[in-house]
Amino acid sequence: MPRWGMVIDVKRCIACWGCTIACKEEHFLPPGVFFNRVLIGETGKFPTSSKLIYPVLCNHCEDAACVEACPTGATYVREDGIVAIDDTKCVGCRACMVACPYQQRTYYDEKTKNREFFPGQGKTEMETIGEKLYPFKLGTVIKCNFCSERVDEGMKKGLTPGKDEDATPACVNICPVGARVFGDLDDPNSEINRLIMEKKGKQLRKEFGTEPAVYYID
């Protein structure tokens, strides 16, 4: 069984927000909800200051704090390492949101559901279609799932996640500069492990002790 992970090369990232938009389109996310975000800051002083760009998403931690905090077992780690949410078990207590050290979870309530991309004009046809094709359950927590639907369906067809687009997360496929790589962390010969080893990939805030499956090259 593979253990899926991702490498993000922040030197390559140009902050185009393509990953953010691709993710919203893939999951039909309502206004104000983002599973992929791009954090931008600066370090140093003019004229030698540097721009900092950090794309962030659920880190799909091996020892996830959200899993430990969930009182009903709704949040769990799949055999392939993807941290998932069973919305039939989620009671909306939001303990996982408090526990997540990366702030990558959103509570889906009536207010979130009723948001419109063009306020006061009603929902567009695409918004309405999205609610049917990718429905979220009210009163539950939602987050990035590494596009597990794409991964699972692709593997059933004999495709390889990280190599074949139909089995790879949307944010990886869309990146115009190849800043994101998806693959099997348990395969020592995988591209993702080669990058982590050769370019010294680092986990974000490793001191939290959650063993994230997302690595950064900076």
Side-chain angles (χ1 to χ4, degrees):
M1 174 65 69
R3 182 167 63 93
W4 302 118
M6 186 180 294
V7 166
I8 301 176
D9 189 336
V10 296
K11 290 183 179 179
R12 284 176 174 260
C13 180
I14 56 175
C16 68
W17 278 275
C19 53
T20 301
I21 301 304
C23 179
K24 286 187 74 72
E25 289 181 345
E26 181 73 18
H27 301 286
F28 295 96
L29 300 180
V33 177
F34 300 93
F35 290 171
N36 261 286
R37 295 180 293 146
V38 180
L39 307 181
I40 296 180
E42 289 186 359
T43 184
K45 295 182 179 180
F46 179 82
T48 59
S49 59
S50 298
K51 186 176 184 179
L52 300 176
I53 303 172
Y54 270 88
V56 293
L57 67 162
C58 173
N59 282 257
H60 296 276
C61 305
E62 187 174 354
D63 188 16
C66 55
V67 173
E68 185 177 349
C70 181
T72 64
T75 293
Y76 63 100
V77 181
R78 302 190 340 171
E79 289 185 9
D80 59 6
I82 294 177
V83 176
I85 300 174
D86 183 346
D87 63 11
T88 64
K89 294 182 179 180
C90 180
V91 294
C93 70
R94 288 165 273 188
C96 59
M97 294 177 64
V98 176
C100 175
Y102 302 102
Q103 301 177 24
Q104 294 300 317
R105 290 172 166 246
T106 302
Y107 182 62
Y108 188 73
D109 56 10
E110 197 74 42
K111 182 179 179 180
T112 306
K113 175 181 171 62
N114 292 331
R115 288 175 184 163
E116 301 170 348
F117 277 100
F118 301 95
Q121 299 183 41
K123 294 197 173 184
T124 64
E125 184 178 356
M126 288 302 296
E127 287 175 90
T128 303
I129 292 174
E131 290 179 350
K132 295 178 180 179
L133 294 179
Y134 207 100
F136 294 111
K137 185 178 178 182
L138 279 173
T140 63
V141 173
I142 58 177
K143 70 170 196 70
C144 157
N145 62 1
F146 262 173
C147 287
S148 57
E149 301 91 349
R150 297 177 67 90
V151 172
D152 294 343
E153 288 303 313
M155 292 187 70
K156 288 179 183 178
K157 298 175 183 177
L159 302 178
T160 302
K163 292 183 178 179
D164 298 305
E165 287 192 358
D166 288 344
T168 301
C171 60
V172 177
N173 291 334
I174 199 67
C175 184
V177 293
R180 294 182 180 227
V181 176
F182 187 75
D184 183 4
L185 289 170
D186 281 349
D187 179 1
N189 298 315
S190 65
E191 176 69 5
I192 187 173
N193 271 322
R194 183 187 67 79
L195 289 170
I196 292 171
M197 292 292 291
E198 291 183 2
K199 299 192 175 183
K200 297 180 174 58
K202 300 175 182 176
Q203 296 160 314
L204 188 63
R205 300 303 297 272
K206 187 176 181 178
E207 65 270 22
F208 290 145
T210 57
E211 286 301 314
V214 177
Y215 289 76
Y216 290 84
I217 298 171
D218 57 4

